[in-house]
Amino acid sequence: MRRIAVMTSGGDAPGMNAAIRAVVRTATAYEMEVYGIRQAYKGLLAGDIERLGNREVSGILQRGGTILQTARNKEFMEEPGQKRGLRRLNEHGIDGLVVIGGDGSLRGAMALCRLGVPVIGIPGSIDNDIYGTDMSIGVDTALNTILDAIDRIRDTATSHERAFLIEAMGRNCGYLAMMSSILGGAEVVHIPERPMDVEQIGQALEDAYLRGKNHAIAVMAEGANPKIYEVKDYLDKSTQVGFEVRVVILGHTQRGGSPTAFDRLLATRMGVKAVQFLNEGKSGVMVGVQGSHIGYVPLEEVVATKRDFDLEKWTEIAHILSR
Ligand code: F6P
């Protein structure tokens, strides 16, 4: 294998640049040529492909976002789009591909692999919803951003004796909300995997008040129902809760920012490993971290399996520690 390409796809995640850099420099060390595909599958279909050398990835290690940009692309979900993508790769003589992204991006990678392209996936998504790896690139940075926000919000919550509903990202997965609620000392956590109704949320906040707390924080995953403003409306009308209630939606602040040391290290190790796997002739796998070991999992398994983060255990811990 002499010419490989790399792309970042789906939602950007801090650490993607560190992974691109590791891919480019490792490939260069193995005397491979590297091409960067801009804006993921959309750019692949448009032939937006350019040579990346070691100098093109200088000074990007500490930057959030992705220098290759990213996109979500519907056309590539269907076979005609995938075949067009294959033609583009062939036109550029590319005989190996590294895809850095989330679940949908890895599905695209698998489709190309089925068409005969050697492909390695790297999990990049702040949600930590990708099967086959303990952590995905970007999760640690996003968690630290959320914790910083919770710490700040608690200062003002305590000063005014208020309850805050804080929305964390996570469309289908409550990992960020669960972990930030435990590590940020929240009183309530509301996630898609374990929905509560408005009365239960109100009761939990009221219980915190009755236990003598001078603030209460509920971390709510964006994908959890009822949504944050429905809960706020209920609490505003309810005479039950002793606290005045405010809402903070953290939104895309969670996706930006310089990657933490953990994310730089994870992304670097995964980028190096992805190229080593390609060099060894592996394909159709995603690099994953299990404990401290970097290994690989078949992409078929990754996209077919829902990641489980030991919900029972963490729910119990969250409950005990919020007393
Ligand atoms: O998958 C990552 C993520 O940040 C989710 O947590 C969130 O629901 C989604 O992307 C937001 O996507 P977009 O930036 O396209 O609005």
Side-chain angles (χ1 to χ4, degrees), residues 126 145-146 167-169 222 248-256:
I126 65 164
T145 303
I146 300 169
E167 188 183 277
M169 270 189 169
E222 65 169 324
V248 177
I249 297 182
L250 299 177
H252 287 77
T253 58
Q254 297 159 93
R255 285 243 296 266

Side-chain angles (χ1 to χ4, degrees), residues 11-12 72 125-127 129 169-171 176 222 252 255:
D12 61 316
R72 304 188 195 272
S125 166
I126 65 164
D127 291 356
D129 58 349
M169 270 189 169
R171 230 183 322 223
L176 284 177
E222 65 169 324
H252 287 77
R255 285 243 296 266

Side-chain angles (χ1 to χ4, degrees), residues 218-271:
V219 182
M220 318 189 69
E222 65 169 324
N225 281 309
K227 299 287 177 210
I228 199 160
Y229 277 108
E230 291 174 59
V231 177
K232 162 100 164 87
D233 283 350
Y234 169 83
L235 295 175
D236 283 348
K237 286 181 200 127
S238 160
T239 50
Q240 174 195 23
V241 180
F243 297 112
E244 215 185 333
V245 180
R246 294 286 186 272
V247 165
V248 177
I249 297 182
L250 299 177
H252 287 77
T253 58
Q254 297 159 93
R255 285 243 296 266
S258 180
T260 56
F262 181 95
D263 271 329
R264 293 184 203 195
L265 179 60
L266 184 69
T268 299
R269 291 176 76 199
M270 286 182 165

Side-chain angles (χ1 to χ4, degrees), residues 76-87:
F76 206 80
M77 289 176 186
E78 309 294 334
E79 204 176 301
Q82 294 158 4
K83 287 193 168 155
R84 257 195 328 124
L86 174 67
R87 278 201 296 278

Side-chain angles (χ1 to χ4, degrees), residues 35-308:
Y35 282 74
I37 301 172
R38 293 206 162 272
Q39 299 192 344
Y41 297 108
K42 183 176 157 209
L44 174 60
L45 295 176
D48 198 351
I49 300 172
E50 64 181 41
R51 180 90 167 82
L52 283 183
N54 280 355
R55 286 295 67 75
E56 278 73 42
V57 294
S58 282
I60 67 168
L61 182 64
Q62 77 290 359
R63 281 169 56 188
T66 158
I67 58 157
L68 288 175
Q69 298 189 293
T70 183
R72 304 188 195 272
N73 184 277
K74 288 216 168 68
E75 210 182 333
F76 206 80
M77 289 176 186
E78 309 294 334
E79 204 176 301
Q82 294 158 4
K83 287 193 168 155
R84 257 195 328 124
L86 174 67
R87 278 201 296 278
R88 292 287 184 227
L89 290 174
N90 289 339
E91 281 160 20
H92 285 80
I94 288 163
D95 46 18
L97 177 66
V98 177
V99 174
I100 307 165
D103 194 52
S105 314
L106 297 170
R107 273 175 210 281
M110 202 177 67
L112 282 172
C113 180
R114 284 196 184 127
L115 293 173
V117 183
V119 176
I120 305 287
I122 294 182
S125 166
I126 65 164
D127 291 356
N128 216 20
D129 58 349
I130 304 170
Y131 176 82
T133 187
D134 292 350
M135 289 290 272
S136 297
I137 294 172
V139 176
D140 184 67
T141 308
L143 253 183
N144 278 287
T145 303
I146 300 169
L147 290 180
D148 181 55
I150 293 177
D151 293 348
R152 288 164 191 268
I153 290 166
R154 191 190 294 90
D155 289 345
T156 176
T158 307
S159 304
H160 285 266
E161 213 158 273
R162 282 175 173 159
F164 273 77
L165 309 179
I166 303 175
E167 188 183 277
M169 270 189 169
R171 230 183 322 223
N172 307 307
C173 177
Y175 181 88
L176 284 177
M178 175 62 83
M179 291 307 155
S180 61
S181 84
I182 293 171
L183 305 176
E187 280 62 39
V188 179
V189 56
H190 185 221
I191 56 176
E193 296 89 337
R194 189 178 278 268
M196 297 163 83
D197 55 36
V198 283
E199 289 85 6
Q200 286 172 308
I201 296 170
Q203 189 61 57
L205 294 172
E206 173 68 1
D207 287 349
Y209 186 76
L210 295 175
R211 289 199 303 280
K213 294 211 176 188
N214 55 10
H215 65 261
I217 289 174
V219 182
M220 318 189 69
E222 65 169 324
N225 281 309
K227 299 287 177 210
I228 199 160
Y229 277 108
E230 291 174 59
V231 177
K232 162 100 164 87
D233 283 350
Y234 169 83
L235 295 175
D236 283 348
K237 286 181 200 127
S238 160
T239 50
Q240 174 195 23
V241 180
F243 297 112
E244 215 185 333
V245 180
R246 294 286 186 272
V247 165
V248 177
I249 297 182
L250 299 177
H252 287 77
T253 58
Q254 297 159 93
R255 285 243 296 266
S258 180
T260 56
F262 181 95
D263 271 329
R264 293 184 203 195
L265 179 60
L266 184 69
T268 299
R269 291 176 76 199
M270 286 182 165
V272 170
K273 214 48 173 183
V275 175
Q276 288 174 344
F277 284 158
L278 275 179
N279 198 45
E280 288 165 11
K282 288 196 177 58
S283 175
V285 297
M286 182 193 80
V287 183
V289 62
Q290 290 89 27
S292 59
H293 175 73
I294 300 264
Y296 62 89
V297 197
L299 280 172
E300 301 270 359
E301 204 178 318
V302 171
V303 300
T305 322
K306 196 170 161 34
R307 184 176 184 276
D308 168 18

